[in-house]
Amino acid sequence: MKKKTLGQQLLGAPYVVWAALFVIVPLIIVVYYAFTDAGGNFTMDNIAKLSEYKEVFWLSIEYSFIATVICLLVSYPFAYLMSRKRESTQRIMMMLVMLPMWMNLLIRTYSWMNILERNGLINNFLALFGVEPLKMIGTPGAVIFGMIYNYIPYMILPIYTVMSKIDVSVLEAAEDLGSNGFSKLRRIILPMSMPGVVSGFTMVFVPSVSTFYISQKLGGKIMLIGDAIEKQIQSLYNYNLGAALSLVLMVMILICMALMKKFAGDSNDGLIM
């Protein structure tokens, strides 16, 4: 391999410093707090206490997985249709997908609180037909819906990016060889779009499993792993247990990303790691 010149090394130095300050150093701090007590002494008590949060971990994984699968089922046909439209139509559809992302996540979540609450828009509309108010806030469905609404663009974009690169002539050739719509989907579209699917799955699952604000505002008393970490650090000032929970969450995320990368194969189209 060609040896880097001094100028190239200097150009890359800021990125090395950035990674060290904002990635490596925070990880070291988290590991340190996870294996120490309030006095700075080494202990395994924080790790032992993680068994108390077993249900919280599984609940976080369950909700995040359900939200990710629903995002995939909704985004895949939408991304395919968008990729087959004219460029002007694609730009309009892309703008509609990105438009909610121009607002802060807090504002979007608060908006859905006003829509789903007992005296919200949906229940007020149903009241016109004599329907009793529905309990939507404080339910698992509200939490999962909040995840879907906030993170579905991260599923649409990578799938669309990969599908837009599929040459129309390939699909036409398959039709000439006798392939029907299902055969084209199974033999051509699905395999060629898999890197985008894997990337989208990762980009939705990772923030969903670590979220805390959505579950706090839409889930009421439902506690996910992000809520447990936030409670330990912000309310109880137990940085050590909070760091231990964060460490396990990071390991879960790294395992998920490694599995998704393995399923993606050698192609990196649309894959964001």
Side-chain angles (χ1 to χ4, degrees):
M1 295 179 64
K2 187 178 179 180
K3 188 176 181 180
K4 291 184 178 180
T5 64
L6 178 60
Q8 291 174 328
Q9 293 177 354
L10 291 176
L11 287 174
Y15 301 100
V16 175
V17 174
W18 177 276
L21 289 178
F22 298 104
V23 178
I24 298 176
V25 172
L27 287 176
I28 294 175
I29 294 174
V30 169
V31 173
Y32 170 77
Y33 274 99
F35 290 97
T36 56
D37 57 19
N41 302 310
F42 176 81
T43 180
M44 294 295 292
D45 291 343
N46 300 317
I47 304 300
K49 290 180 181 178
L50 294 178
S51 59
E52 302 174 7
Y53 295 87
K54 181 170 57 177
E55 294 183 1
V56 176
F57 277 108
W58 282 115
L59 193 65
S60 301
I61 295 173
E62 178 185 353
Y63 285 11
S64 303
F65 183 78
I66 293 173
T68 305
V69 170
I70 295 176
C71 283
L72 176 60
L73 295 176
V74 174
S75 301
Y76 197 89
F78 180 84
Y80 176 76
L81 291 175
M82 184 165 63
S83 66
R84 299 300 104 185
K85 297 292 184 180
R86 294 179 300 179
E87 290 188 7
S88 58
T89 306
Q90 290 184 29
R91 286 194 292 267
I92 294 174
M93 296 176 71
M94 180 64 69
M95 183 188 69
L96 294 176
V97 170
M98 297 301 299
L99 192 59
M101 306 301 292
W102 295 356
M103 294 183 293
N104 188 273
L105 182 142
L106 308 183
I107 299 175
R108 298 198 303 269
T109 305
Y110 263 113
S111 299
W112 278 108
M113 286 178 61
N114 294 327
I115 295 173
L116 299 177
E117 64 184 1
R118 183 177 179 85
N119 296 320
L121 296 177
I122 294 178
N123 279 325
N124 286 337
F125 176 76
L126 295 176
L128 299 177
F129 303 95
V131 179
E132 292 293 325
L134 302 176
K135 177 177 173 55
M136 291 176 281
I137 294 290
T139 63
V143 177
I144 294 173
F145 176 81
M147 294 177 179
I148 296 170
Y149 174 77
N150 282 291
Y151 302 128
I152 195 170
Y154 301 128
M155 181 71 76
I156 294 175
L157 294 178
I159 296 177
Y160 161 76
T161 300
V162 173
M163 285 188 170
S164 63
K165 297 178 182 179
I166 299 177
D167 196 338
V168 179
S169 61
V170 176
L171 301 177
E172 293 175 348
E175 293 176 356
D176 294 338
L177 294 174
S179 295
N180 55 24
F182 178 75
S183 180
K184 288 191 298 182
L185 175 65
R186 182 172 63 90
R187 294 177 178 273
I188 300 175
I189 299 174
L190 273 177
M192 296 185 72
S193 63
M194 192 54 61
V197 172
V198 172
S199 179
F201 198 98
T202 305
M203 293 174 66
V204 173
F205 182 82
V206 169
S208 296
V209 78
S210 58
T211 188
F212 66 94
Y213 189 80
I214 295 174
S215 52
Q216 285 181 2
K217 298 305 178 183
L218 299 181
K221 296 181 179 181
I222 296 176
M223 176 177 287
L224 302 183
I225 185 60
D227 302 309
I229 295 172
E230 192 267 347
K231 180 179 179 181
Q232 292 296 328
I233 294 177
Q234 295 291 337
S235 302
L236 303 178
Y237 301 103
N238 190 345
Y239 300 108
N240 304 96
L241 182 55
L245 291 169
S246 301
L247 182 62
V248 175
L249 181 60
M250 284 192 296
V251 172
M252 287 171 49
I253 291 174
L254 290 175
I255 293 174
C256 172
M257 294 175 68
L259 290 174
M260 292 298 102
K261 186 175 182 180
K262 182 178 180 181
F263 292 146
D266 297 329
S267 176
N268 292 321
D269 292 339
L271 189 61
I272 301 175
M273 299 300 290

